Amino acid sequence: MTRDVTLEQMQHWLLHYADQIEQEQATLTRLDAAIGDADHGVNMQHGAEKMRAKINDLTDCHDIDVFLRTIAMTLISSIGGAAGPLYGVFFLRASKEAGPGDVISLDRLAQMFQVGLESIQQRGHARLGDKTMVDALAPAVEALRLATDAGQSTTEALAVASEAAEAGMLATIDMEAKKGRASYLGPRSIGHQDPGATSAYLLVASAAATLGN
Ligand code: ADP
Ligand code: MG
């Protein structure tokens, strides 16, 4: 049972994520129309296209940190709105944690997710329960850590992380938004799934689909 994750798998992860965003673009926009300004699907789709082009260009990249830093810069410069810079800092911080080389351990991957989440929270000041992407990412990070420490395989650990992200995403339906545009609605934001939690779930689900063995 190998518990390593390679650069090639990470490239597949983010290409898969770009495909998922494209498929779910209308859903993300519909969710943002209910409690925001109906641009999350368009914003993410724009980022996905730039990310895909960048990955296909980056054929001579041999280091996971360089790869993820390039992804971070691409997302920061191409995704408008609140979510773009937040996904950007996630990958920027994760790239530092990964370091050079074309393979990392599952333990380091779990650490990358952890520090990436922390940087999103440092930048956006959202806590668990504020109805944001943090509500999908935080349970995933915790599940990934527990499964990794318990000696599970990459496939198993990311599967439970993806399930936790999905549950967290669905839990945003009953939350009142405390951060971002949806917070302007106050209690009227209750009853709607958060768009950023949805795109964040897709990121973890894509990892589960591609980074296992
Ligand atoms: P905007 O709100 O600027 O139109 P988007 O529609 O692209 O940007 O993204 C909205 C999503 O961003 C929200 O659904 C939420 O998950 C996330 N978000 C907004 N503000 C924050 C924050 N401070 N911390 C974490 N996530 C946030
Ligand atoms: Mg929006």
Side-chain angles (χ1 to χ4, degrees):
M1 176 181 85
T2 168
R3 301 215 308 161
D4 288 343
V5 175
T6 64
L7 171 61
E8 195 183 349
Q9 284 178 307
M10 292 214 181
Q11 289 164 337
H12 287 146
W13 169 27
L14 295 176
L15 286 172
H16 188 277
Y17 184 46
D19 291 345
Q20 291 297 110
I21 292 293
E22 190 162 337
Q23 273 176 39
E24 300 301 323
Q25 181 187 347
T27 303
L28 297 174
T29 289
R30 176 175 55 75
L31 295 172
D32 198 30
I35 55 170
D37 57 355
D39 65 354
H40 192 58
V42 177
N43 289 343
M44 294 302 294
Q45 169 62 21
H46 194 61
E49 274 167 25
K50 296 281 178 194
M51 185 165 69
R52 192 186 284 120
K54 194 52 116 180
I55 295 170
N56 291 329
D57 266 7
L58 265 180
T59 45
D60 61 344
C61 174
H62 303 293
D63 293 293
I64 291 174
D65 59 349
V66 174
F67 173 69
L68 293 179
R69 188 163 63 240
T70 308
I71 292 297
M73 295 311 181
T74 304
L75 296 181
I76 289 170
S77 64
S78 65
I79 308 184
L86 294 171
Y87 281 118
V89 295
F90 175 88
F91 283 108
L92 202 55
R93 188 65 188 81
S95 84
K96 279 193 204 140
E97 190 63 30
D102 62 0
V103 56
I104 56 167
S105 65
L106 174 60
D107 189 64
R108 187 158 298 270
L109 182 79
Q111 192 60 22
M112 279 168 50
F113 269 87
Q114 169 76 49
V115 297
L117 167 67
E118 283 167 13
S119 65
I120 286 178
Q121 294 193 269
Q122 275 158 16
R123 178 158 183 135
H125 306 287
R127 289 182 301 200
L128 202 61
D130 284 351
K131 196 180 183 98
T132 70
M133 59 175 68
V134 168
D135 293 303
L137 286 175
V141 164
E142 194 187 349
L144 185 57
R145 168 51 59 203
L146 287 174
T148 301
D149 289 351
Q152 306 229 322
S153 70
T154 309
T155 306
E156 289 162 340
L158 284 165
V160 295
S162 178
E163 281 165 25
E166 185 176 23
M169 168 190 85
L170 293 172
T172 64
I173 296 173
D174 292 332
M175 294 175 188
E176 177 176 339
K178 299 290 183 194
K179 285 284 179 291
R181 220 175 269 281
S183 66
Y184 307 156
L185 291 182
R188 282 186 293 133
S189 63
I190 297 170
H192 303 279
Q193 184 172 309
D194 181 62
T198 309
S199 57
Y201 157 66
L202 294 175
L203 182 66
V204 182
S206 292
T210 52
L211 299 183
N213 354 103

